Amino acid sequence: MRLDKFICKSTELTRTEANQVINAGEVAVNDELITNEAVQVHENNAITLNGQRLKARSYRYILMHKPFGTICSNVDEVYPSVFNYIDIDRASELHITGRLDADTTGLILLTDDGRWSFNIISPNKQCEKVYRVALRDVIAGDVALKFKHGMQLQGENNLTLPAKLNIIGDKEVFLTITEGRHHQVKRMFAAVGNRVVSLHREKIGEISLDVEVGHWRYLTANEIDLF
Ligand code: URA
């Protein structure tokens, strides 16, 4: 992995701060001062910051297919928690990166790496989330343009960020958004006089849902590196 990434993984520094300490000559790899943040390192290398040996924290990253009628909370409430499906030690230390409503199905990501989650959730990072949406009424012709330009949702100060609508049937679409306001997809369709009857998340960034309902798997190193 890149040296700056290793520094982020093993300290509380942001990527910019990691670059600063590297460029300032505060980081050594196997006793050699390295000032290029893009240098590839291995976790077994002796990497020090101002003489202190750093150890990469081992975070966990999980992809799950959320079933209908489950909640994205660490505990059961009216509906059972998705954590009932994650049968690993210390599962309660994980959080969900972008929650789904109880009646929404599909891709959720769970991790204990807060910085990684931030890169997915923060609207500034422009990470695309793709939803398959079934609607009550036939989709009106001007909706794609309205979503593209941004919409005013009730109780919100700012317009929604540009969203992409891909119509696949009279009452069925793919919607791509880069933010995650409360009930955002349902509220966007309500704002154009329609109603979501079923909602399913297919994709987050380049990660697609590829496990059966209620199943999960660990992300690969390449998938983790995407964010
Ligand atoms: N938008 C919604 O309205 N609900 C979800 O679960 C996710 C996005």
Side-chain angles (χ1 to χ4, degrees):
M1 100 182 60
R2 282 171 56 118
L3 181 57
D4 51 358
K5 188 146 200 177
F6 178 90
I7 301 287
C8 290
K9 264 192 99 178
S10 54
T11 66
E12 296 300 315
L13 299 180
T14 62
R15 186 65 80 96
T16 309
E17 290 164 343
N19 287 348
Q20 282 165 355
V21 292
I22 296 166
N23 300 152
E26 295 174 39
V27 175
V29 179
N30 297 334
D31 290 331
E32 187 188 341
L33 277 187
I34 301 289
T35 52
N36 175 0
E37 68 274 7
V39 158
Q40 289 291 322
V41 294
H42 189 268
E43 302 201 353
N44 294 340
N45 293 149
I47 300 171
T48 56
L49 172 61
N50 292 319
Q52 293 279 332
R53 175 88 188 252
L54 301 178
K55 197 168 175 334
R57 286 188 293 267
S58 48
Y59 292 121
R60 295 173 293 171
Y61 305 87
I62 285 175
L63 168 160
M64 182 184 163
H65 190 155
K66 177 189 176 293
F68 184 87
T70 56
I71 48 162
C72 286
S73 156
N74 291 55
V75 289
D76 294 339
E77 290 170 26
V78 176
Y79 297 101
S81 156
V82 292
F83 279 87
N84 291 305
Y85 295 84
I86 313 280
D87 46 353
I88 57 172
D89 280 352
R90 299 179 288 111
S92 62
E93 291 174 13
L94 303 171
H95 60 263
I96 297 157
T97 301
R99 292 158 185 253
L100 295 177
D101 298 334
D103 58 357
T104 303
T105 56
L107 173 59
I108 54 171
L109 299 173
L110 301 98
T111 183
D112 43 9
D113 182 349
R115 197 188 308 269
W116 189 82
S117 287
F118 176 78
N119 289 338
I120 294 174
I121 294 169
S122 168
N124 296 334
K125 303 284 180 181
Q126 295 282 304
C127 171
E128 293 190 334
K129 289 96 186 171
V130 181
Y131 293 88
R132 188 180 185 121
V133 193
L135 297 159
R136 180 191 60 194
D137 303 322
V138 174
I139 185 100
D142 58 350
V143 172
L145 210 57
K146 286 184 176 163
F147 283 6
K148 184 175 168 204
H149 290 318
M151 340 217 0
Q152 187 64 55
L153 298 180
Q154 235 177 9
E156 300 267 351
N157 293 328
N158 301 319
L159 293 183
T160 53
L161 291 175
K164 280 182 246 164
L165 192 70
N166 177 7
I167 298 173
I168 52 174
D170 278 356
K171 299 181 181 179
E172 198 153 22
V173 298
F174 283 114
L175 178 67
T176 304
I177 57 177
T178 55
E179 49 186 348
R181 304 186 199 196
H182 193 53
H183 301 317
Q184 178 161 346
V185 177
K186 292 173 186 163
R187 289 164 69 208
M188 284 173 74
F189 281 102
V192 293
N194 211 325
R195 192 186 165 98
V196 170
V197 292
S198 83
L199 185 56
H200 177 83
R201 187 158 62 197
E202 296 258 339
K203 218 170 160 196
I204 297 178
E206 287 308 310
I207 300 181
S208 299
L209 188 59
D210 57 2
V211 297
E212 297 294 316
V213 183
H215 288 245
W216 63 271
R217 66 170 174 84
Y218 286 108
L219 294 186
T220 64
N222 285 344
E223 287 171 329
I224 296 164
D225 275 348
L226 290 170
F227 305 108

